[in-house]
């Protein structure tokens, strides 16, 4: 199965779910005190529209800068994936992604699914947010495993051929006087093949991580953009624009680092960069188009957005902890360098801390 087809398989269900449920978000009935934005000094539709148009442009630019920065700086020797600085920058970006899941997406889901606008039974009698996030993490593990299986099956034939070719010199020299020399040469070939196989497995793993991470970010980005686009609250939109610019910049750096390590071709890189860059602006534009009928406080809207946020949170948290942080900190590179390990840990705290502070506004 090709990389593009796997990526398409993952994103299609979420896209269809969002498109099918959008009409119900706008048509849902709600109590009188829910789904209606209070009109006050902050409620200014023309000014809010101007701010949202500015937000589309600025967030698009910030997203493109963030995701493209690791790809552009590949030619800079200090930021090459083999250098220590890249490890530190990646640790910082992983902290940003971890905080995005825990401090931004998960609390939003709690607010949605425990809203007083929802019926007491069952929404206030069961922790749906954490339950859905748990299922999402388990599902992400399943997707992780299956995608690696598909990649490994595609590469199995070439790997078996490499093993056969490495064994044949040993068998050939086993009957002659040059047995020792032949054995040494065969061991070198086997060692080289094993090293190449390790690199191949790591590359496939990085490609899975990049696609799974992209999926979680895209779902969250559309949801947050939809909420901003539908709002007419100037006091809420103004700080949110700045916060989302920084949010997309740092989150893009994390995704860009994963795309860089995945070593995709130009076509696949362009697809991943495009979807990350346009999802939040697309969500804002969609919210503007539905602003007359969409009510983010309606029960159906709260349930759909809450479920999507919880799913995205579970995916992001799993990816940040298992695929990014655990893989690096328990890997041979950081395990063999305590000083680099401490610097990377400080970078994780810095990234997670900075993103947590932004949770006050976004």
């Amino acid at each position: 199965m090709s990389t593009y087809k796997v990526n398409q398989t993952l994103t299609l269900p979420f896209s269809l779910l969002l498109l099918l449920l959008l009409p119900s978000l706008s048509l849902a009935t709600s109590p009188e005190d829910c789904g209606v934005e209070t009109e006050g000094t902050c409620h200014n539709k023309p000014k809010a529209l101007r701010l949202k148009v500015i937000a589309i442009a600025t967030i698009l630019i910030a997203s493109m800068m963030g995701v493209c920065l690791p790809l552009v700086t590949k030619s800079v020797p200090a930021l090459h994936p083999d250098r220590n600085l890249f490890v530190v920058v990646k640790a910082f970006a992983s902290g940003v992604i971890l905080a995005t899941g825990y401090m931004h997406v998960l609390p939003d889901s709690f607010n949605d699914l425990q809203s007083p606008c929802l019926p007491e039974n069952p929404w206030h009698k069961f922790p749906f947010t954490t339950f859905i996030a748990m299922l999402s993490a388990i599902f992400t593990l399943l997707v992780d495993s299956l995608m690696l299986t598909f990649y490994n099956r595609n590469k199995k034939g070439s790997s078996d051929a490499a093993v056969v070719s490495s064994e044949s010199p040993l068998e050939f020299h086993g009957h002659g006087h040059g047995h020792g020399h032949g054995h040494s040469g065969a061991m070198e070939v086997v060692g080289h093949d094993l090293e190449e196989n390790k690199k191949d497995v790591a590359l496939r793993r990085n490609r899975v991580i990049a696609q799974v991470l992209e999926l979680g970010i895209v779902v969250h980005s559309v949801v947050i953009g939809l909420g901003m686009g539908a709002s007419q609250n100037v006091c809420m939109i103004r700080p949110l624009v700045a916060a989302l610019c920084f949010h997309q910049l740092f989150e893009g750096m994390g995704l860009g680092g994963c795309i860089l390590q995945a070593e995709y071709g130009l076509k696949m890189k362009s697809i991943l960069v495009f979807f990350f860059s346009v999802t939040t602006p697309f969500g804002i534009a969609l919210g503007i188009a539905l602003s007359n009928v969409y009510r983010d406080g309606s029960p159906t809207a709260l349930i759909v957005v809450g479920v999507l946020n919880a799913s995205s949170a579970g995916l992001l948290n799993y990816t940040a902890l298992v695929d990014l942080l655990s893989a690096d900190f328990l890997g041979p590179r950081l395990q063999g360098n305590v000083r680099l390990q401490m610097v990377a840990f400080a970078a994780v705290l810095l990234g997670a801390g900075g993103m947590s502070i932004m949770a006050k506004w976004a």
Side-chain angles (χ1 to χ4, degrees):
M1 182 178 289
S2 67
T3 302
Y4 176 73
K5 287 182 178 178
V6 172
N7 193 42
Q8 192 178 44
T9 303
L10 286 174
T11 55
L12 188 58
F14 284 93
S15 303
L16 290 175
L17 177 65
L18 192 62
L19 290 173
L20 288 172
L21 292 175
L22 275 174
S24 64
L25 302 190
S26 59
L27 298 175
T29 57
S30 58
E32 292 181 0
D33 57 338
C34 294
V36 179
E37 197 168 31
T38 305
E39 294 194 15
T41 56
C42 290
H43 187 91
N44 189 325
K45 191 171 183 178
K47 193 172 182 180
L49 181 59
R50 288 196 297 270
L51 286 174
K52 284 182 272 191
V53 172
I54 293 171
I56 290 175
T58 54
I59 292 173
L60 178 64
I61 294 171
S63 301
M64 292 183 67
M65 285 177 59
V67 72
C68 289
L69 192 62
L71 305 178
V72 173
T73 55
K74 183 181 179 181
S75 56
V76 180
L79 291 174
H80 194 271
D82 294 333
R83 298 299 181 92
N84 290 341
L85 182 59
F86 180 84
V87 175
V88 175
V89 172
K90 186 184 176 185
F92 173 85
S94 300
V96 168
I97 294 169
L98 183 66
T100 299
Y102 277 112
M103 298 300 296
H104 292 253
V105 189
L106 204 59
D108 287 346
S109 180
F110 274 114
N111 292 336
D112 292 333
L113 298 183
Q114 293 184 348
S115 170
C117 297
L118 294 179
E120 181 72 19
N121 189 19
W123 301 103
H124 295 268
K125 294 188 176 182
F126 186 80
F128 281 98
T129 292
T130 47
F131 177 70
I132 295 169
M134 177 188 69
L135 291 181
S136 175
I138 296 172
F139 176 74
T140 306
L141 172 63
L142 176 64
V143 171
D144 237 352
S145 177
L146 289 177
M147 287 179 69
L148 273 177
T149 301
F150 285 128
Y151 279 122
N152 290 332
R153 282 183 178 178
N154 290 337
K155 296 290 183 179
K156 188 176 180 181
S158 58
S159 299
D160 290 344
V163 171
V164 171
S165 64
S166 65
E167 289 177 350
S168 56
L170 180 60
E171 294 175 0
F172 177 77
H173 290 285
H175 301 286
H177 297 286
H179 178 272
H181 177 73
H183 186 273
S184 175
M187 291 301 293
E188 289 179 7
V189 172
V190 171
H192 175 74
D193 288 338
L194 287 174
E195 188 65 29
E196 288 297 317
N197 189 49
K198 283 183 180 179
K199 289 181 180 179
D200 194 41
V201 170
L203 178 62
R204 281 176 259 159
R205 180 68 176 156
N206 288 331
R207 291 185 172 181
V208 171
I209 292 171
Q211 293 182 49
V212 172
L213 181 59
E214 172 101 3
L215 177 62
I217 292 174
V218 163
V219 173
H220 165 58
S221 297
V222 172
V223 169
I224 197 170
L226 182 64
M228 178 195 272
S231 175
Q232 309 299 344
N233 190 326
V234 177
C235 300
M236 184 272 288
I237 295 173
R238 191 181 291 112
L240 191 60
V241 174
L244 282 178
C245 284
F246 284 104
H247 178 279
Q248 292 296 106
L249 179 69
F250 292 128
E251 199 172 52
M253 289 173 62
L255 179 61
C258 292
I259 295 173
L260 176 63
Q261 286 190 306
E263 297 181 13
Y264 282 121
L266 180 60
K267 181 182 177 181
M268 195 60 194
K269 282 181 183 177
S270 302
I271 291 172
L272 294 174
V273 168
F274 172 79
F275 275 106
F276 171 78
S277 301
V278 303
T279 44
T280 302
F282 169 75
I284 297 172
L286 190 61
I288 293 172
L290 298 173
S291 58
N292 291 328
V293 291
Y294 173 80
R295 296 292 178 263
D296 57 3
S298 67
T300 307
L302 289 169
I303 292 169
V304 173
V305 172
V307 168
L308 288 175
N309 274 330
S311 301
S312 180
L315 194 156
L316 289 173
N317 293 339
Y318 172 90
T319 304
L321 287 171
V322 178
D323 288 339
L324 299 177
L325 293 173
S326 178
D328 285 346
F329 277 85
L330 301 182
R333 186 166 186 179
L334 287 181
Q335 285 295 309
N337 190 333
V338 178
R339 182 180 177 183
L340 180 60
Q341 192 174 146
M342 291 297 101
V343 174
F345 184 74
V348 173
L349 290 178
L350 185 62
M355 206 63 180
S356 298
I357 293 172
M358 287 185 197
K360 182 178 179 182
W361 300 281

